[in-house]
Amino acid sequence: MQKLALTLILFTTTVLCAVGQDKHTITVNFSGMESDKGKLYVALYDSKETFLKKDFKGDIVSVKDKKATVVFKDIPSGVYAISAFHDENNNKKMDTRIFGIPKEPVGISNDAKGFMGPPKYKDAKFLVDKNIELAINVN
C-alpha cells in the first residue's frame, strides 16, 4: 500500500511539474516605422514591477521595408508586456526630449499609450498560455 501511495505521489508531482513548465513562442510583427535606418530594440517584461525598467528577454533587429519581426521562444505561461523603440540614428539608446519624452518612434503591446507619462503595465499586458502572434505599431 505504501508503494502504491508513493508511486501516486511521484506521478502526480511529475505531471504537475510538466504542466507548470509549458513553453510558448511569442511572434511580434512591428510596423509603422518611417525608415529602415538604425535598429529596433525590443524588450519583453514579465511583471508590473520590471515594466520599462528591466526586461525579461530582449532583442535587437534590423528594420526592412519599414517592418520588423521578433520571435521570443521558450516563454513560460504567464502575463507579459512588450516595449520597443526604433533607434533611427543607431546610437544604441532611446533619445528623449525634455521630461523624458521619446524623440524616436516607440511601440508598446496593445498599442498602449501613456498620459502624462509612460504607458501603464495594466494597459500593455497580455496573457501567454499558447503560441501567440502580436502586431505592434511603432510611431
Side-chain angles (χ1 to χ4, degrees):
M1 186 67 171
Q2 286 179 340
K3 283 185 180 181
L4 178 61
L6 184 59
T7 303
L8 283 173
I9 290 171
L10 256 142
F11 177 75
T12 304
T13 303
T14 303
V15 169
L16 288 175
C17 286
V19 169
Q21 297 296 322
D22 285 348
K23 303 285 184 169
H24 309 288
T25 299
I26 303 171
T27 303
V28 190
N29 298 305
F30 294 92
S31 61
M33 281 81 76
E34 294 182 3
S35 76
D36 291 349
K37 295 178 185 176
K39 300 280 186 181
L40 185 69
Y41 285 68
V42 183
L44 177 67
Y45 304 94
D46 62 352
S47 73
K48 176 182 177 180
E49 293 73 32
T50 61
F51 183 57
L52 302 178
K53 295 176 186 128
K54 180 166 178 18
D55 62 1
F56 170 68
K57 289 198 177 205
D59 204 354
I60 303 168
V61 295
S62 296
V63 178
K64 184 175 181 187
D65 298 327
K66 301 177 184 175
K67 296 178 183 175
T69 299
V70 171
V71 178
F72 293 108
K73 295 182 179 183
D74 298 322
I75 304 300
S77 294
V79 177
Y80 297 88
I82 293 175
S83 73
F85 75 93
H86 185 192
D87 183 19
E88 293 177 307
N89 60 6
N90 214 20
N91 66 352
K92 299 177 177 51
K93 66 177 188 170
M94 183 174 68
D95 298 323
T96 59
R97 295 182 172 92
I98 191 167
F99 304 120
I101 298 169
K103 280 185 183 179
E104 296 177 300
V106 297
I108 305 288
S109 47
N110 297 329
D111 285 327
K113 304 287 184 215
F115 178 74
M116 300 296 284
K120 305 287 186 225
Y121 180 75
K122 67 178 181 137
D123 298 326
K125 69 182 181 177
F126 57 91
L127 176 65
V128 174
D129 59 358
K130 61 185 176 186
N131 294 341
I132 63 169
E133 189 166 337
L134 303 172
I136 296 177
N137 192 33
V138 178
N139 53 26

